[in-house]
């Protein structure tokens, strides 16, 4: 149980285009989903937290107009990288949590974004 | 701000050797602590977690970790590693973020290579 999927697993796009990444909890309802960014040889950095039905809460330094997050249902959250630039190239990982507080987060397999 | 330090960035061991990976955190409040593992090409998986109670926590695949509050540490151990333990290991603390939500703060990870 507690499986989280992400789609696509890999995407290459041209500079200036927008890219949407989906995160789904397959066998549980996720009250909260998280989006992380992982740089090479570095740790995961939390970008934003989204609760179903409400606006995402972004970490300091993350542009909310650039990284649009939608959490329209208890099993789906999307991250849209708008007007992508090469510096947005990274590994984006989502996670989902069934309850509030200290409940465990379950991670998706990640999406490798390359912006040319 | 909360932070997590993993002192060993790369560890190389032979099979059957004992493993201890260090993790120290900086956070003054109540903490929940986690170790996640990322096998090559796979997503993050939970190894074990500490919320409360017995500070010696046993996880999957023979791993255990000990929470020492006075030392702000949560070191990961395994008495005898196997080749299949080759992976990257991340320590994380669940703490209250500046957005008012609980969030996971990750260490930079330790890459373990076990030679057969």
């Amino acid at each position: 149980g507690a499986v989280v999927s992400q789609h696509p697993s890999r995407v290459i796009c041209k500079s200036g285009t927008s890219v949407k990444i989906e995160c789904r909890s397959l066998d549980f309802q996720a009250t909260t989903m998280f989006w992380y960014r992982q740089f090479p040889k570095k740790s995961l950095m939390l970008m934003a937290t989204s609760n179903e039905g409400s606006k995402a809460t972004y970490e300091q330094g993350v542009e909310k107009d650039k990284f649009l997050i939608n959490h329209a249902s208890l099993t789906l959250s999307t991250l849209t990288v708008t007007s992508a630039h090469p510096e947005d190239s990274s590994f984006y990982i989502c996670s989902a949590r069934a309850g509030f507080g200290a409940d465990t987060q379950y991670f998706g397999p990640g999406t490798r974004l390359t912006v040319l | 701000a909360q932070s997590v330090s993993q002192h060993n960035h790369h560890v190389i061991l032979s099979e059957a050797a004992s493993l201890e990976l260090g993790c120290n955190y900086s956070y003054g409040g109540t903490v929940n602590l986690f170790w996640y593992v990322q096998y090559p090409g796979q997503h993050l998986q939970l190894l074990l977690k500490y919320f409360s109670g017995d500070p010696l926590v046993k996880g999957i695949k023979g791993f255990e970790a000990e929470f020492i509050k006075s030392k702000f540490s949560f070191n990961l151990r395994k008495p005898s590693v196997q080749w299949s333990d080759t992976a990257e290991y991340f320590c994380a603390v669940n703490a209250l973020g500046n957005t008012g939500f609980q969030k996971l703060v990750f260490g930079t990870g330790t890459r373990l290579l076990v030679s057969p």
Side-chain angles (χ1 to χ4, degrees):
Chain A
V3 178
V4 176
S5 70
Q6 274 183 250
H7 179 78
S9 57
R10 193 180 292 265
V11 57
I12 300 172
C13 68
K14 291 183 179 179
S15 188
T17 61
S18 295
V19 174
K20 181 185 280 188
I21 302 169
E22 291 187 349
C23 176
R24 293 180 186 273
S25 56
L26 298 185
D27 50 3
F28 67 101
Q29 292 187 324
T31 52
T32 309
M33 286 183 166
F34 303 84
W35 287 95
Y36 294 85
R37 187 170 173 177
Q38 187 176 28
F39 294 95
K41 299 185 180 180
K42 295 209 171 179
S43 186
L44 282 79
M45 302 289 292
L46 179 65
M47 298 174 65
T49 301
S50 75
N51 293 300
E52 184 266 338
S54 59
K55 287 184 180 180
T57 304
Y58 291 80
E59 293 296 302
Q60 209 165 13
V62 178
E63 299 176 61
K64 61 181 181 180
D65 294 331
K66 180 165 189 62
F67 298 100
L68 300 178
I69 291 170
N70 184 281
H71 191 168
S73 78
L74 284 171
T75 59
L76 173 64
S77 176
T78 60
L79 167 69
T80 302
V81 183
T82 62
S83 186
H85 290 285
E87 58 265 29
D88 298 324
S89 298
S90 194
F91 197 55
Y92 293 88
I93 302 173
C94 75
S95 70
R97 190 174 68 191
F100 292 104
D103 282 355
T104 304
Q105 291 182 32
Y106 297 94
F107 286 81
T111 296
R112 171 78 57 195
L113 170 64
T114 303
V115 185
L116 302 177
Chain B
Q2 304 90 354
S3 66
V4 178
S5 299
Q6 290 182 244
H7 319 294
N8 317 103
H9 298 293
H10 290 91
V11 173
I12 301 174
L13 294 173
S14 299
E15 274 195 314
S18 65
L19 170 72
E20 180 159 3
L21 301 182
C23 172
N24 286 88
Y25 64 91
S26 167
Y27 182 59
T30 301
V31 291
N32 304 115
L33 295 154
F34 304 79
W35 275 97
Y36 282 88
V37 60
Q38 189 172 29
Y39 296 103
Q42 296 189 29
H43 60 279
L44 279 164
Q45 299 173 40
L46 181 68
L47 263 183
L48 48 78
K49 60 187 177 183
Y50 171 79
F51 284 176
S52 64
D54 189 344
L56 184 62
V57 181
K58 294 197 184 296
I60 61 171
K61 304 187 181 186
F63 286 91
E64 65 178 32
E66 185 174 12
F67 170 52
I68 303 180
K69 190 176 181 180
S70 61
K71 294 185 178 179
F72 297 90
S73 71
F74 190 56
N75 292 356
L76 181 71
R77 298 193 293 249
K78 185 170 183 177
S80 175
V81 294
Q82 300 172 313
W83 176 79
S84 57
D85 293 323
T86 294
E88 189 152 18
Y89 293 81
F90 293 93
C91 180
V93 60
N94 196 34
L96 190 64
N98 53 19
T99 58
F101 289 104
Q102 294 275 342
K103 69 173 190 179
L104 275 181
V105 177
F106 283 87
T108 50
T110 297
R111 196 173 292 269
L112 171 66
L113 174 63
V114 180
S115 58

